[in-house]
Structure formats: C-alpha cells, structure tokens
Amino acid sequence: QVQLLESGGGLVQPGGSLRLSCAASTYILSIDTMGWYRQAPGKERELVAGITNDGGTNYADSVKGRFTISRDIAKNTVYLQMNSLKPEDTAVYYCNAYLSWGDYWGQGTQVTVSS
C-alpha cells in the first residue's frame, strides 16, 4: 500500500555528514509514524529516529544530538540528517512507515563510516 524509497547513503569519513531521504508513495500526513531504523552486521535492527504525524520526534540515545529527522510534506519525504558520524553508525538504514493497519519498509541504503 505504501512504497518507500531511500537514498543518500554512501561512504563517509568519521566526523562527516550524510543526509538520507525517504520518499513515500502517499501523502505522509496520512501515515501515523515514519522513522529510520538501522541494522549492522550481527546486530538487531534498531530504531534510530521517528517522527509522528503531528511532528513529534524521538531518537535513539546513541544518536541524540547528532542526527535530526525532518520532513518535507509537499514532497512526501522524510529526511535523516546525520552529523558527526562514527564508525559504529555503519549499517543499512531503512525507512519505515507505520500505520494502524500495517508496517511498510524501504529497500535500505548502506551507510559506511570509515577512514
């Protein structure tokens, strides 16, 4: 029902920045919550940041102060601005859309932080 397309991943040096984009196929204000998750090799998928329909945000403790989730309603797009990146941020990042009747996921975009 909802298609999500992530972009913006890549290779960056420690301390650098990336901005991830998640374009949704539907009006994002119709989605209860949108968020970014990540999964590193050998680890469980974890919530990085979320934004609710009314604009409230939530962040994992590990990224607070470094990452910012935002949205462009006109473009049906949610962003994740990642600053001060660390090697431990290396993971595949997935966009998620949560609705009362289901969860939808993007394909994922690789973020690698390495010198």
Side-chain angles (χ1 to χ4, degrees):
Q1 191 81 8
V2 180
Q3 297 179 48
L4 305 170
L5 180 61
E6 303 103 331
S7 62
L11 175 65
V12 65
Q13 294 183 8
S17 298
L18 285 173
R19 188 179 74 161
L20 306 183
S21 299
C22 173
S25 64
T26 191
Y27 192 54
I28 61 172
L29 292 184
S30 70
I31 300 170
D32 295 335
T33 303
M34 296 192 70
W36 289 95
Y37 290 72
R38 67 186 181 189
Q39 187 165 23
K43 295 186 177 181
E44 299 291 329
R45 186 169 59 187
E46 64 174 345
L47 174 68
V48 176
I51 185 165
T52 58
N53 175 271
D54 65 0
T57 59
N58 187 53
Y59 298 92
D61 288 342
S62 60
V63 307
K64 286 180 179 177
R66 299 189 297 121
F67 291 10
T68 303
I69 188 169
S70 62
R71 63 188 179 185
D72 185 331
I73 295 171
K75 294 183 177 180
N76 290 328
T77 299
V78 172
Y79 303 97
L80 184 68
Q81 179 66 45
M82 305 186 294
N83 298 326
S84 301
L85 283 161
K86 304 174 181 179
E88 52 262 45
D89 295 318
T90 296
V92 178
Y93 285 70
Y94 297 92
C95 184
N96 169 260
Y98 173 80
L99 299 92
S100 61
W101 40 270
D103 277 294
Y104 296 88
W105 296 90
Q107 296 293 319
T109 185
Q110 176 70 46
V111 172
T112 302
V113 184
S114 177
S115 60

